[in-house]
Amino acid sequence: MKVTVDTATCQGHARCRAICPELFELDELEQKSHVKLATVPPELEGRAKRAVNECPESALSLDR
Ligand code: F3S
């Protein structure tokens, strides 16, 4: 599983980082989320899905 951020859509709400800091970091200058890991480890899949669902801008997507 892979998660991607649409940086044009991300508005820096940081809910993704709050839900799964192992996976998301925020560029403090741009206020955009970046994915830290190329693939989502199985133990983080649940929180990755939650982050995708809870982003207010729908800027995150999951791919198998
Ligand atoms: Fe951006 Fe959504 Fe996270 S707006 S910072 S991807 S919660």
Side-chain angles (χ1 to χ4, degrees), residues 5 9-16 26 32-33 55-57 59-60:
V5 182
T9 306
C10 172
Q11 296 296 318
H13 294 292
R15 259 188 233 175
C16 51
L26 241 72
K32 302 280 184 185
S33 178
C55 171
E57 307 293 336
L60 302 174

Side-chain angles (χ1 to χ4, degrees), residues 1-13:
M1 182 185 277
K2 189 172 148 49
V3 63
T4 52
V5 182
D6 178 351
T7 48
T9 306
C10 172
Q11 296 296 318
H13 294 292

Side-chain angles (χ1 to χ4, degrees), residues 10-57:
C10 172
Q11 296 296 318
H13 294 292
R15 259 188 233 175
C16 51
R17 184 181 60 186
I19 292 167
C20 194
E22 299 91 331
L23 199 54
F24 300 99
E25 63 187 353
L26 241 72
D27 182 311
E28 298 299 340
L29 207 63
E30 291 182 327
Q31 289 295 301
K32 302 280 184 185
S33 178
H34 292 278
V35 180
K36 293 159 77 172
L37 305 172
T39 54
V40 180
E43 67 273 20
L44 298 182
E45 284 187 4
R47 281 191 289 142
K49 286 178 190 166
R50 231 185 93 203
V52 169
N53 290 334
E54 294 192 17
C55 171
E57 307 293 336

